[in-house]
Amino acid sequence: MQPVEARNIRSSFREIKVTGMVGKVMSESADIAYELADAYASQHLGRTLEAVTVNYTYSSHKGGDSASLATALVIISDLLSICADKSTSVTGALSLNGMVLPVGCILAKISGAANQGAVRIILPEGNRKEVECIPSQLLPDVELVYVSTFDEAVEALLHISDLDERKGAWLSDSGSFIVK
């Protein structure tokens, strides 16, 4: 798991800028995350995205699509000025129609997130059977929250239903919003 930061920027044009050492698949998944976050913002928030910068903060080369759910969530998090609880990690790939798709190496991702301090992990429903086959002694003691759609993931991470109480509650000093 790696931290992902996003910043929505007022602009006269729409674009996503991706920084960090990312491969082609990860760059394309960031594009999908941007499009999905924009559709969500338009449909549920009455807003549209303009320019967005996404930063994958670790310099090691990353190339898969398992951060696309976290990327879309952090874009929405920034747009709403809600910083997600840093003890929650997110993994999952996204389809263009908002489905959360399973990812590979799920035990390594769960263990890695727990080792980095996560106590709650949002992951694809499509990985549930694989996780349930893992011997319990190998799984860290964390809460696993399974989601099938982007809308479910937004609610699981940001608790949009109680938005008025939470808006701005976890703004960092730098203004960055981080989702692992």
Side-chain angles (χ1 to χ4, degrees):
M1 296 287 193
Q2 67 179 13
V4 179
E5 301 173 312
R7 171 71 67 199
N8 288 273
I9 304 163
R10 289 197 177 270
S11 175
S12 59
F13 55 94
R14 296 172 30 103
E15 73 168 343
I16 182 169
K17 177 181 174 184
V18 178
T19 62
M21 294 182 66
V22 298
K24 184 175 189 289
V25 172
M26 193 167 188
S27 181
E28 290 171 351
S29 70
D31 291 339
I32 291 170
Y34 175 87
E35 292 300 325
L36 197 56
D38 186 48
Y40 180 91
S42 176
Q43 181 179 3
H44 297 285
L45 307 173
R47 299 172 71 176
T48 58
L49 298 180
E50 294 173 4
V52 173
T53 299
V54 173
N55 180 37
Y56 297 99
T57 58
Y58 291 145
S59 60
S60 62
H61 182 76
K62 301 292 181 187
D65 62 353
S66 62
S68 58
L69 177 58
T71 302
L73 288 170
V74 79
I75 291 169
I76 295 297
S77 171
D78 181 68
L79 184 67
L80 293 172
S81 297
I82 299 173
C83 190
D85 181 349
K86 291 184 175 129
S87 67
T88 298
S89 286
V90 177
T91 189
L94 287 172
S95 73
L96 285 171
N97 63 1
M99 299 305 296
V100 177
L101 306 173
V103 295
C105 303
I106 196 66
L107 177 58
K109 288 178 169 105
I110 292 170
S111 297
N115 289 339
Q116 292 178 9
V119 296
R120 184 171 178 258
I121 302 170
I122 298 172
L123 66 162
E125 178 66 41
N127 284 108
R128 182 187 294 265
K129 287 182 183 176
E130 180 182 355
V131 171
E132 289 174 349
C133 290
I134 298 169
S136 60
Q137 64 269 24
L138 295 180
L139 281 173
D141 186 23
V142 295
E143 177 188 1
L144 300 177
V145 179
Y146 295 96
V147 296
S148 298
T149 66
F150 181 63
D151 288 5
E152 289 175 8
V154 170
E155 180 58 32
L157 182 67
L158 302 177
H159 311 286
I160 297 298
S161 59
D162 60 343
L163 176 63
D164 291 337
E165 296 171 20
R166 293 176 40 88
K167 190 166 184 181
W170 291 291
L171 295 178
S172 68
D173 292 337
S174 67
S176 295
F177 305 97
I178 301 171
V179 175
K180 289 184 182 178

